Amino acid sequence: MKQIKLIFSQTLMISTAILFGLGIQAFWNAMFHGDARIVWEWYVPFTIIFTGFLCSVPSLIFLEEGETKKSAFPVKIVLHFLVLLGVVSLCGRLFGWYSTWEAYLWILLMYVVIYFFVWAATFWLMKKDENKINKALEELRDEE
Amino acid sequence: MKVILEKVAKPEEEGAHIRAVELTEEVRNAVDLLENNCRSISVSRVGEEKSPGESYMLGTNRIYYTESIDKRTYVYTKEECFETRYRLYELEDILGVNFLRVSKSLVVNMRKIRSVKTELNGRMTAELLNGEKIVISRSYVKDLKRKLGV
């Protein structure tokens, strides 16, 4: 159940991030190329959700808590980053999100920005929790 | 056991008189609770668990954390380590509200945590008042927050 919840929330988060990225791309095109319209095939929204789902599965495998050593974590992150990049590239190719190298570079840039943004946001939220917990512990703590 | 509760006017008049056939663990717990405002659990020094007469009553307010290793349960105070016959899930019930499971094998006394620190992998490290560091698993952070009301 916990894993289904994780996949569901990750799918939502990644799909939203892809939409956000596409929004920025459309904004850029509207500002600098005068092209203010987005034209999608009927299946594109579904492909975004499907890609979100596929990207959530590696998260489950790589980032699941286990008895891994602290030093193994950077290796896991790099692998996670590369596997997700592979999934996004493959889905983009299959679903026709890009047809030129320039468009692929856009997808790559978007992926990198979204990946690091999600990590930064997650870490910031965890730091907020840390501060709240430390404040609450102050009131509970025994005298040394 | 029959319990008689009598109301008194002043704190100085408060007191308890226990009449028991035998000084059982439950009676000792009751005495501890009344005298020291905390419960006690039966422990033995590490490696002495099977020798009779070597058990001690340890006040829960002295406990920093308890850990289960290879089906044995260890109890850690500021500087000492004891072993107890209780399983970790039993201790969760016995030890009281200030104790919280923070990983599969560890229950910590929240009153003994100096601070917590977030790690990149989503876990938290808690530094205890004696300088020891323990890991709070990601899945138990939510329980910690709930218990602290944050």
Side-chain angles (χ1 to χ4, degrees), chain A residues 108-126:
Chain A
L108 276 187
L109 180 71
M110 222 153 56
Y111 170 74
V112 171
V113 170
I114 289 169
Y115 192 89
F116 285 101
F117 173 77
V118 169
W119 266 111
T122 308
F123 194 66
W124 178 73
L125 285 173
M126 289 192 305

Side-chain angles (χ1 to χ4, degrees), chain A residues 2 63-66 68 70 73 119 123 126-127 129-130 132-134 136-137 140-142 144, chain B residues 110-124 129 137-139 144-145 148 150:
Chain A
K2 210 172 103 186
L63 305 178
E64 188 59 10
E65 204 161 26
T68 45
K70 204 175 164 184
F73 189 69
W119 266 111
F123 194 66
M126 289 192 305
K127 276 281 168 196
D129 279 347
E130 177 190 308
K132 280 184 195 168
I133 291 170
N134 279 330
L137 284 171
L140 191 72
R141 194 181 303 137
D142 277 347
E144 278 183 76
Chain B
M110 293 189 296
R111 298 178 71 110
K112 305 294 183 191
I113 299 176
R114 179 179 287 140
S115 63
V116 295
K117 202 170 183 306
T118 303
E119 286 178 21
L120 262 175
N121 58 7
R123 289 178 186 166
M124 277 189 169
L129 292 177
S137 299
R138 210 183 315 155
S139 46
L144 176 64
K145 281 168 66 184
L148 290 171
V150 297

Side-chain angles (χ1 to χ4, degrees), chain A residues 11 52 58 70 81 90 101-102 111 117 124:
Chain A
T11 303
K70 204 175 164 184
F81 177 84
L90 189 71
W101 276 106
E102 196 195 341
Y111 170 74
F117 173 77
W124 178 73

